[in-house]
Amino acid sequence: MDIGVGLPSTVPGAAGAELIGFAKRAEELGFSTLAVLDRLVYDSYDSLVALAAAAAVTERITLASTILLAAYRPSAAELAKQLASIDRLSGGRLVLGVAAGGREDDFAATGVPYRRRGALLDRLLEDLVEVWSGGGQVPGIGPKPVRDRIPIWIGGHSEAALARAAKHGIGWISPGGSAAAYPDLVERATTAFAAAGRDDKPKMAAMTYVGLGEDNASRGAQYLRDYYSYIGPKAEFLAKGLISDEGRLRETIDNYAAAGCDELLLFPTTADPGQLDQLAKVAFA
């Protein structure tokens, strides 16, 4: 199982220099992927801008949006150009992770109907591929991605999300939860791929939050309560689920590997690049 890390671009107070140092150190330590979260109505860096900055200071690590709430973005043509630009700047290292999303305020801020987000995402994915192939309502938008198209990961637990993954994606990504429930998700995704007539195996990914050390655990739990305040009491459940010690991190990694996960993304709740060294000591032991 590959192990990637999240860029802490949504952690309050993260300095630009810290994020740049974080991206460099993640590559130096051998993590497979550097991923970003996406949120509009929050004091966070724009996810695509953060990926572009990471592309400029790295050479090998995969760059991924996990997950981009693409449906609230008003222009498929503009988004296609932005994504292709990051892909070209990084030498073809971009993976596009998308989901319908569950934060109504992000959609309200852009005037996009929240209730239509699934249908809008389906249409958007079709339009992105068309633009990248040189078509679209106004042909000729460039640059083109390094590959024919940018690989797409799909998130979301609904049957519609799984069908979307089978139609458009290389696989499916879980936003978190227990590794004990993960084999069922692997089976559901595999079934969806087969039902869509695909003979390839979906690439299965998952993410989890980490804050090793007593101080990081306390600050990280508060960050998660704030970031996920829109889900009410469930935010406390996420805060209590923060991995704060090395033993539990090792156990989590082993459990996901045994459950059929192909890549686990560890999202630190601190912008201190030193946290990466602690994670690597456990992850690559």
Side-chain angles (χ1 to χ4, degrees), residues 45-130:
Y45 291 84
D46 178 86
S47 58
L48 296 184
V49 172
L51 282 179
V57 296
T58 58
E59 296 179 354
R60 298 176 303 280
I61 195 168
T62 296
L63 305 174
S65 62
T66 57
I67 293 292
L68 185 73
L69 304 181
Y72 72 65
R73 296 173 185 262
S75 169
E78 183 177 14
L79 180 59
K81 188 179 186 75
Q82 291 170 335
L83 293 168
S85 295
I86 296 172
D87 191 59
R88 298 282 292 197
L89 288 167
S90 66
R93 291 184 283 133
L94 181 63
V95 173
L96 171 62
V98 297
R103 297 162 177 146
E104 192 166 354
D105 54 357
D106 286 340
F107 290 81
T110 55
V112 175
Y114 177 71
R115 300 297 176 188
R116 294 187 57 222
R117 64 194 186 283
L120 290 171
L121 179 57
D122 288 333
R123 176 60 187 272
L124 177 70
L125 292 172
E126 298 279 2
D127 290 345
L128 288 177
V129 173
E130 191 173 5

Side-chain angles (χ1 to χ4, degrees), residues 12-252:
E18 286 181 307
L19 297 182
I20 295 302
F22 206 97
K24 291 179 178 178
R25 190 61 181 152
E27 180 165 87
E28 290 169 358
L29 290 169
F31 287 101
S32 57
T33 296
L34 186 65
V36 292
L37 300 173
D38 188 42
R39 185 79 190 271
L40 181 60
V41 185
Y42 197 73
D43 183 12
S44 57
Y45 291 84
D46 178 86
S47 58
L48 296 184
V49 172
L51 282 179
V57 296
T58 58
E59 296 179 354
R60 298 176 303 280
I61 195 168
T62 296
L63 305 174
S65 62
T66 57
I67 293 292
L68 185 73
L69 304 181
Y72 72 65
R73 296 173 185 262
S75 169
E78 183 177 14
L79 180 59
K81 188 179 186 75
Q82 291 170 335
L83 293 168
S85 295
I86 296 172
D87 191 59
R88 298 282 292 197
L89 288 167
S90 66
R93 291 184 283 133
L94 181 63
V95 173
L96 171 62
V98 297
R103 297 162 177 146
E104 192 166 354
D105 54 357
D106 286 340
F107 290 81
T110 55
V112 175
Y114 177 71
R115 300 297 176 188
R116 294 187 57 222
R117 64 194 186 283
L120 290 171
L121 179 57
D122 288 333
R123 176 60 187 272
L124 177 70
L125 292 172
E126 298 279 2
D127 290 345
L128 288 177
V129 173
E130 191 173 5
V131 172
W132 291 333
S133 66
Q137 291 184 343
V138 181
I141 296 174
K144 291 185 177 181
V146 172
R147 297 149 289 186
D148 290 338
R149 56 181 285 179
I150 295 170
I152 298 173
W153 257 338
I154 305 292
H157 285 87
S158 68
E159 292 303 317
L162 290 166
R164 187 175 295 125
K167 182 176 182 180
H168 299 285
I170 59 171
W172 183 85
I173 182 167
S174 168
S178 170
Y182 201 76
D184 178 62
L185 297 171
V186 173
E187 183 177 356
R188 288 175 63 197
T190 302
T191 299
F193 266 53
R198 296 181 58 165
D199 55 11
D200 56 326
K201 179 181 178 294
K203 179 175 180 179
M204 299 295 296
M207 60 171 286
T208 191
Y209 288 104
V210 292
L212 299 184
E214 186 174 342
D215 289 342
N216 287 328
S218 177
R219 288 194 296 267
Q222 185 54 46
Y223 155 63
L224 292 177
R225 291 186 190 99
D226 181 58
Y227 190 78
Y228 287 102
S229 60
Y230 71 97
I231 61 174
K234 291 183 180 180
E236 184 62 31
F237 175 79
L238 290 173
K240 289 181 178 179
L242 176 69
I243 298 172
S244 59
D245 66 82
E246 294 183 1
R248 188 174 165 213
L249 176 58
R250 183 68 259 170
E251 181 182 15
T252 298

